[in-house]
Amino acid sequence: MSGLMYEIAAVWLLAILAGVPLYATMALAALAFVGFGGLSMSVVPQKMAQAMNSFPIVAAPLFILMGNLLTSARITDRIVAFATSLVGTVRGGYAHASVISSMIFAGMVGSAVADAAGTGAVEIRAMKKIGYRAETAACITAAASTIGPIIPPSLPMVIFGVTANVSVGRLFMAGFVPGVMMGLSLMVMVAVIAKRQGFPREKFVGFLGIWRSFRDGFWALMAPVVLLGGMFSGMFTPTEAAAVASAYALFLGLVVYRTLDVKDIPGLLIETAETTGIVVVLVMAAAALGWCMSISRIPQILAPQLVAVIAHPLGFLLLCNILLLAVGCFMEPLAALLILIPILVPVSNSFGIDPVQFGVIMIFNLILGTIHPPIGVVLFITSRIAEISFETMSKAILPWLVPLLVVLALITVFPSLTLWLPNLLMGQ
Amino acid sequence: MPSSFTTWFDRAASFVAASITIALFVVVMLGIISRAFNDPFIWTDELARFLMAWLAVFGWILACRKRIHVRIRYFQDKLPKGGHRVAEIIIQSALFVLGALVAWYSVALTERNLDIEATTLSMSIAWLYIPMILAGLVTAGQALSQIVEQCRGGGNDSRGAEELAR
């Protein structure tokens, strides 16, 4: 059946390029596989529905809801204002603040898309207003938003943990250092470009100004503390953290800051459902196709061949980086995870690679796909906010991939960068 | 499809989707709160999963109606107008086939699971598969209406919306 799967995979790729909606390409490929393979076609809708019959996936709509609530209640403004008061005085201060805001926001939401939509609207407009080029402002925001799913909480980490049977808590811990490295590497890039393009610097607001912005944004800044504290103290699971995050955002918007209008809530709920539909239908179709790949025995055939050809684990990880970056060009990260985990994780295990390190590498690669063409969902969002064409954005983003690729190379070569913190706090 | 029906349908689907989102949020919070009070409700996890299946399908339906599912239109957009239209008819035909097959086989799936009860809820497992029938029917119906639209020479070009994956 693996021969049939290879043929179907080729047609599937053609269908993607031809413009068939991505979820439909996967679902049709799965239907073709079971149809030509003489299996019952009921398996496909069954696997699609079963993909939703999983508690961790519940985090998806709840994280989306939280992002929508934070944006609508303009809580993101307070985070950006605090970050700007801290580093605004440096050349390119707004750009640095954008990166810092994304790092803080990453501790609240688990998705790059929510980060870009949440902080992006505030940051891009602010940067454009003080003279940044639209594409530069959009690129900084887009690149910084990829920190979202790396610093916990993280939806892709929940999905990876559950699918690959790896501790979600360890994965969350493993994301801290790479997430901070991403932020720092982007700030180095900002510093270089700020000097070259002559980015403006803001007047120092004074320590009182910093204190005021901290006080204004205190409850918003406490969100990561509440979420991570609750998760690691065992009060709620990583999946439930998404619901707590939404409740916290609702509380801030309605009670603390009173910036959320009750009349806006129905619209936010519908928007949440629509975005959920776009994302999870990909997950549903990927689950069906992933099952087809499993029963076609591709992982069992591929694993020994790869182990025989590639002698060193590092060689395998480099190959995975190339493969995953290419896959990220065409697939939504959660869908790609569901298809590739059954194929790659067993091979990675046979090389003796720690599944926590492999999970972070896999997620990192796929998240980079959201900021490079042709799909790059984050590019679409930020280019629309910045009011520039997708083509302009696609070209402008390329230099911003460099610092992130450097971090990727570092976490690939040095496992301690991902494993040090979970080993320290949770034991070997 | 007649516009009054589609307007009614879109409003109803939006209302149901918003209601399920609230229900999902409340159920997950109930699980956390009941556990905090040392009296955990055992049904919250399972109910949340059922609601998730329904929310996913209603989200799928809304995205389908608004034509905002993710697709790469780069190569299709390079085609001349006639070629673009033919390609769109082929794509919509594929979507029609998909919708019809999903709906048809979900009916069989639902029938087979009618007698199987969920673990913690006194309801049939079939409730997990029923929304798939609806999703299949809407996908097929939407595709059919777009085929007709393209054949008539209309074809509402919503490239921007379709490419936007949120």
Side-chain angles (χ1 to χ4, degrees), chain A residues 101-122:
Chain A
S101 304
S102 285
M103 287 168 77
I104 298 169
F105 209 61
M108 300 158 77
V109 297
S111 119
V113 171
D115 192 325
T119 60
V122 187

Side-chain angles (χ1 to χ4, degrees), chain A residues 236-298:
Chain A
F236 42 82
T237 65
T239 306
E240 290 168 339
V244 176
S246 295
Y248 191 71
L250 203 60
F251 176 70
L252 292 186
L254 289 176
V255 180
V256 180
Y257 297 130
R258 297 181 185 185
T259 42
L260 186 65
D261 195 336
V262 180
K263 277 183 263 172
D264 293 337
I265 293 177
L268 292 177
L269 293 169
I270 293 167
E271 205 179 318
T272 301
E274 279 172 17
T275 312
T276 302
I278 294 169
V279 175
V280 299
V281 73
L282 291 166
V283 175
M284 292 165 85
L289 188 59
W291 178 82
C292 294
M293 290 208 176
S294 295
I295 67 150
S296 68
R297 294 182 54 80
I298 286 181

Side-chain angles (χ1 to χ4, degrees), chain B residues 15-58:
Chain B
F15 176 77
V16 174
S19 307
I20 298 171
T21 310
I22 296 173
L24 183 67
F25 170 70
V26 170
V27 166
V28 176
M29 286 306 293
L30 268 179
I32 302 169
I33 295 165
S34 64
R35 209 171 48 233
F37 284 100
N38 272 330
D39 188 15
F41 298 145
I42 55 161
W43 45 267
T44 52
D45 275 23
E46 194 164 36
L47 183 57
R49 285 186 269 130
F50 272 79
L51 288 168
M52 183 64 218
W54 279 82
L55 177 61
V57 163
F58 272 89

Side-chain angles (χ1 to χ4, degrees), chain A residues 55-64 155 158 238-240 242, chain B residues 52:
Chain A
F55 192 64
I57 199 76
V58 167
L62 296 174
F63 271 131
I64 294 166
L155 180 58
V158 174
T239 306
E240 290 168 339
Chain B
M52 183 64 218

Side-chain angles (χ1 to χ4, degrees), chain A residues 16-19 373-375 380 390-391 394, chain B residues 71-79 84 159 163:
Chain A
I16 292 173
L17 296 176
I375 290 229
F380 278 114
F390 183 71
E391 283 71 26
S394 301
Chain B
R71 57 189 283 194
I72 300 171
R73 301 200 63 151
Y74 179 80
F75 296 104
Q76 194 189 358
D77 287 348
K78 297 276 174 204
L79 295 172
H84 190 282
R159 280 170 213 177
E163 280 166 349

